[in-house]
Structures are given as C-alpha cells and as structure tokens.
Amino acid sequence: MTLLRRLTIALALTLLPLSALAQSGVTTIVAFGDSLTAGYGVTKNESWPSVLARSLKSSGQNIRIVNAGVSGDTTAGGRARLAWSLGGATGAPDIVIVALGGNDALRGLSPEQARQNLDAILTELNKKSIRVLLAGMLAPPNLGVEYQRAFRALYRDLATKHKVAFYPFILDGVAADPALNQPDGIHPNAEGHAIIAARIEPYVRALLKK
C-alpha cells in the first residue's frame, strides 16, 4: 500500500465522526500539525493531543481532540489539506490548534512562503468562525540570525493580524533537553509530550470559555 493511500485512509477514518460530534454537543478540537503533533516515535496515547484531551475531560470538559498531525508536513502541505482536515462537508470543528512550520525551518524554506501559507490557513479558519490557537515555532540557529528573526516574527504578526490566540513556541520547555526528546534531538518523547500538553492547556481552556 502506498504512502498516499495510507494517508488517505488514515485521514478518512480520523475525520469521519466530526458531523456526529457537532450534533451531540461535544466541542471538537482539531490539532493541525506535523510530526510533533502526530506523535512521531511515541504511542498514540502519549502524543500531546491525547494527553491534553484526557486532562480536559478529567475536569469535566465535554470535548474531543482530533489528531490531524501528519509527519513531514510543511505549511504548504497543511494549506493543501486544510479543507479535508476540517471535515469537508461533514461540518467544521469548534477549535483548531495550528502547529505547523517546523519542517519549513528544518528544510530552510522561505519564511515568507511559510507566512503566506499560514496566512491562508488562518484566513480560511476565520471565514468559518472557528476559534484558533496558533502555536509558533523557532528556526534552528544554524540558519543564521536573520532567518531566525524572520521566522519567529511571522507567527506573532499573523496572530495579531487575524486576532487569534497565540502560543509562542510549541516546544517551550522541551526543546534542546535530551531528557525530554528522542535520540534524534528533534521529536519529544512521552515526557516531552506531557509537558507540551500541560503548557498549551491554559490557552485551550481560554478558548473553550469563549
């Protein structure tokens, strides 16, 4: 089975329940990202969207988090699959956590291209009146100070432009700590995912109150 075929099946199975959830009063949250969201190298239950979902449910929140993370995805890839990830004709989610850009930075892709792609994603989410949390990313230092500055600035600029909630760095408290990352030094381990979930949770709770 080809990678494209596996991705097609996985996304179809993931997005199938969205319309039923919209009708049942459950607040649907889509975690829209790359391997950091998908949970590369950890079990499904250890990924930060799963950890976050359990924590919110334990406090009585009637929510479900759909993990729409795709390993290797760039902002361009996310832009291309946005409509599908939102459920298409089955109905939009209530909240989307946008956590893309890590692969753009690792590949040294243009910060301006990333800005344009994320701008288009946020524009579409706003059209649908979906509450948004934009999670930022930092570029690795080997790409130079100017690239780092441009990459970091684009997230804050877009959050301000679109008036969406903003979490400055998805790997806050986790990046560069060997104890919280897998041997590749890029992907968090289970403990790292737990920290991501804990740190992003207050931002999600604030959106749930809106």
Side-chain angles (χ1 to χ4, degrees):
M1 185 182 291
T2 66
L3 176 60
L4 178 59
R5 179 61 176 165
R6 290 199 301 270
L7 177 58
T8 300
I9 293 172
L11 284 174
L13 291 174
T14 298
L15 297 171
L16 191 60
L18 283 179
S19 59
L21 287 169
Q23 296 172 5
S24 65
V26 176
T27 297
T28 305
I29 302 170
V30 170
F32 187 61
D34 47 35
S35 59
L36 300 178
T37 298
Y40 175 87
V42 301
T43 68
K44 178 181 178 181
N45 287 334
E46 291 171 335
S47 67
W48 69 259
S50 293
V51 177
L52 176 61
R54 289 196 296 273
S55 180
L56 292 172
K57 288 179 181 179
S58 70
S59 65
Q61 295 284 353
N62 189 19
I63 62 98
R64 181 186 185 224
I65 297 183
V66 177
N67 190 330
V70 173
S71 294
D73 213 2
T74 60
T75 56
R79 180 179 180 178
R81 67 181 172 93
L82 178 64
W84 193 3
S85 297
L86 295 182
T90 64
D94 302 285
I95 295 172
V96 172
I97 303 170
V98 179
L100 287 164
N103 289 308
D104 295 63
L106 287 175
R107 299 176 191 180
L109 301 180
S110 165
E112 184 54 35
Q113 289 180 356
R115 180 188 291 269
Q116 292 174 7
N117 291 326
L118 289 171
D119 190 21
I121 289 171
L122 296 176
T123 296
E124 186 62 27
L125 294 175
N126 279 337
K127 284 181 181 178
K128 296 180 179 296
S129 298
I130 296 172
R131 286 165 278 172
V132 176
L133 173 59
L134 176 62
M137 174 54 65
L138 301 181
N142 63 297
L143 293 174
V145 174
E146 291 304 316
Y147 186 96
Q148 285 182 293
R149 287 176 179 168
F151 203 83
R152 182 171 188 168
L154 72 89
Y155 290 94
R156 188 173 296 280
D157 291 348
L158 289 173
T160 300
K161 174 183 177 180
H162 292 278
K163 298 177 180 171
V164 299
F166 179 49
Y167 182 58
F169 184 33
I170 188 67
L171 293 175
D172 183 42
V174 176
D177 187 339
L180 300 175
N181 286 278
Q182 298 175 49
D184 62 12
I186 297 173
H187 297 95
N189 57 26
E191 291 78 8
H193 275 274
I195 290 176
I196 293 173
R199 296 202 174 195
I200 207 169
E201 183 171 346
Y203 295 81
V204 177
R205 286 187 178 277
L207 282 180
L208 287 169
K209 292 178 180 179
K210 289 188 177 181

